[in-house]
Every structure is written in C-alpha cells, then in structure tokens.
Amino acid sequence: MNKLFYFVRAWSFGYFLLFFLCQEGHVHQDSNPLESQESLNRRMAFQANEFYEFVRTNQSMRLPVDGEEQTAPKESGWTVEKTLIFHEGLQCLVYAHNLKPNSGLKPSEALKNFYKKYDQPFVLGCEVAWCIPLFSCILEILTPDVFDTHFSRNFKITLDQGKAFLKLLSHKKAPDSWGECGYFMNTIRYIERHPKGNGTGHNVYCIGFNEQNQPLYHGIGLTFKEGPQLKSHLLEILRTDFLAEPTEVEKPFVQESADCRLVRLGIAKNPQSWAAYLNHHQQNSPNVVMVLDHQKLKSIQQKYAQRS
C-alpha cells in the first residue's frame, strides 16, 4: 500500500468517525467487530464507505460503457474471467465476471492491490466492485495470516464466494440498516431499450443515515460521484437511465416491445408513478438483502485461534 492509500484511509476515517459520533449508539473503530452482529454491521458500513470513497477520489476504476470488456488493473496480479449465466432478475442470459489473482500472490496481498493508484484506468462492473469491500472487511477482521490460511486453496472475487460469508435477510427487499447490502433494480424492460447499458440496477451498501434518519447508500459509478446517496436519488437515476435514448452502439440491438413503449411513455408523462412502479419490481424480484454473518466469521476466527 502506498502513501495515497494511507492518506485516503486517514481522511475517510476522520470523516466517518465524525459521522458515527453524530449517530445514537455509535460504535468506535477500536471496538471488536465480532462482539455482536451490530458491531460487525457497522464495521462493514465503515469499510464499504472507505472503499467507495477511495475509488471515487483516485478515479482509477470505472464502469464499462456500451458493454465493453472488463479489465483488471495492470500490474495488480489479477485477471478477469467471465462466464455466461441466467440472471433471474432480468430473466435472460448475461455474462458474470470474476476476478482471479495470480498464484504467486497471497490473497491478502492481492486484495490490498486494489487500494493502489494505477496510472492506467481499469474497467470493472459493479457486481465485481461490490465484492471488494466485503472481502476487505473480512480481511480486516480475520487478520492477514488467518485470511491467507483460510483462502490458501482458492481465492476469487466472485459473487458466489462473497455470498458464502453473508446471511440472507429474507424479510427485507431493500437494505435499510448499517452494513446491509442489496440491489435496487430497474424495470426488467430496461434491457429491451438499453441492451448494453449499466442502468439495470445499483449494487449498494447502506453506510449510515442522514440527519433525518434516512438511509444513505454507497456504490460505484457516476451515480455516486458526489458520495453516498438517498434512495430517492437512486430511483430517479434509474428512471433517467431507462428513459434515455439508446446509444449509437445500442441502436442495432434494441428490441423495445409494445409493453416497454407503453411503460416508457407512461413514466415520461407521470414521473411520480416511477417510485411505485419500481417498488412493485423490487417486491417481486428474486434479489435479497444480505449482511455479513457474525457467527460464520466468529467460527473461522475461533477455528484458527485453536490451531495456533
């Protein structure tokens, strides 16, 4: 990690500690995150905010445009793998991207490479970037030795491997508490109009609350260029993305159905109906809210403590 990384950590720590102190029942950074689920949730919120603020300020990472190939940062030791999978939410086949480190790198070292400033920008989708703060929080809690030992056989930054450390909150459809992560989904009609667009939805973490006790969300991309955002802003961005004209690259692939056209014209005529329309999609989508599993991490920590 270079000097820039330490500077950003210090800046982000000061900002977020002040943010914590303004909240009722705050948790200090020096508390044990495995004391309780609440402590772990707040540490996850801190780590997510720290990562996204780092990405936002050093501007090395960006989202793909018009379906371009995703790339790992040069000299980072990571390579991008992609596989074709069925996306339940969109009801279609899409490419899923994974990150695999070189075999010569320790998992902890490979992960820390994402916190360096690279001269050349690299392109990653939010489904990959979403996993990086998750594993960073796990690394912080387990310490590098335990982290490297636990992942000695296989370490990839993938959605599946990330979910192994999460518990599902089946009673929720949107994250609204410290450290929870989830997906704000656009209408499934979006891909008819934007087959190569990034506006299918937002992968986010809830990183805290504003003065009115409204949840604040952080993620990657231009949506978060000013930092954490309210749900109302995220929904408005999804609406804007849906209504936008297809790009020149997209136009040959557009397959807008009559239903999609009716939805688009209706939303354009009555913007107030958008939140209710998206809420209907959110409630009926297969996406769930997740949070780091306190018992899972505690069990891993105890397991390796007994060995040593």
Side-chain angles (χ1 to χ4, degrees), residues 4-274:
L4 176 63
F5 177 50
Y6 287 112
F7 170 78
V8 173
R9 285 184 67 95
W11 176 86
S12 183
F13 173 77
Y15 165 82
F16 212 58
L17 180 59
L18 179 62
F19 190 68
F20 272 145
L21 291 173
C22 295
Q23 310 299 317
E24 182 178 356
H26 66 273
V27 175
H28 290 286
Q29 263 302 99
D30 58 359
S31 65
N32 180 0
L34 292 182
E35 284 179 352
S36 65
Q37 183 69 56
E38 182 184 9
S39 296
L40 178 60
N41 293 356
R42 294 199 178 215
R43 185 62 66 93
M44 183 67 253
F46 182 93
Q47 186 66 53
N49 182 73
E50 191 174 51
F51 171 74
Y52 287 124
E53 286 297 315
F54 176 77
V55 171
R56 188 174 70 87
T57 53
N58 91 19
Q59 299 180 342
S60 293
M61 185 190 301
R62 67 172 177 82
L63 291 173
V65 177
D66 288 334
E68 68 181 313
E69 290 294 316
Q70 296 190 32
T71 58
K74 292 181 179 179
E75 302 177 0
S76 69
W78 290 90
T79 55
V80 177
E81 300 178 329
K82 69 177 184 178
T83 54
L84 200 60
I85 65 168
F86 183 75
H87 192 297
E88 291 186 46
L90 299 176
Q91 290 293 296
C92 67
L93 290 170
V94 298
Y95 278 108
H97 294 81
N98 305 320
L99 284 168
K100 181 179 180 180
N102 292 341
S103 58
L105 284 172
K106 291 182 178 180
S108 59
E109 293 173 347
L111 192 56
K112 290 174 184 177
N113 280 349
F114 279 104
Y115 290 87
K116 295 179 179 178
K117 181 171 175 20
Y118 293 95
D119 294 332
Q120 298 295 323
F122 57 98
V123 181
L124 285 178
C126 62
E127 79 280 5
V128 176
W130 170 86
C131 293
I132 297 174
L134 172 68
F135 282 113
S136 297
C137 188
I138 294 170
L139 169 60
E140 181 185 32
I141 292 168
L142 295 182
T143 73
D145 288 343
V146 174
F147 188 86
D148 291 336
T149 303
H150 185 77
F151 288 106
S152 60
R153 294 183 180 179
N154 180 39
F155 179 58
K156 291 183 180 181
I157 292 184
T158 71
L159 196 59
D160 288 341
Q161 195 168 63
K163 283 184 176 179
F165 296 90
L166 296 169
K167 62 180 177 181
L168 309 183
L169 306 179
S170 57
H171 61 288
K172 289 188 174 186
K173 277 294 182 181
D176 58 7
S177 298
W178 293 96
E180 291 179 354
C181 51
Y183 186 67
F184 286 115
M185 181 180 172
N186 207 328
T187 168
I188 58 174
R189 304 294 186 187
Y190 173 84
I191 59 171
E192 296 180 20
R193 187 167 169 79
H194 298 286
K196 293 183 177 292
N198 287 321
T200 53
H202 301 295
N203 286 295
V204 298
Y205 287 89
C206 177
I207 57 91
F209 301 84
N210 65 7
E211 293 179 353
Q212 288 74 44
N213 204 34
Q214 297 170 301
L216 290 168
Y217 300 99
H218 218 330
I220 192 172
L222 293 177
T223 301
F224 305 94
K225 64 181 179 180
E226 302 300 330
Q229 299 294 331
L230 294 170
K231 180 180 179 180
S232 57
H233 178 73
L234 300 184
L235 298 187
E236 176 57 24
I237 293 295
L238 291 176
R239 185 181 75 88
T240 301
D241 288 345
F242 174 58
L243 295 179
E245 289 297 316
T247 65
E248 290 301 317
V249 174
E250 287 178 321
K251 284 180 180 178
F253 304 96
V254 171
Q255 295 181 339
E256 187 175 22
S257 65
D259 286 345
C260 180
R261 191 176 298 109
L262 285 174
V263 169
R264 175 168 58 84
L265 293 175
I267 295 301
K269 185 177 180 180
N270 182 15
Q272 288 76 22
S273 65
W274 179 247

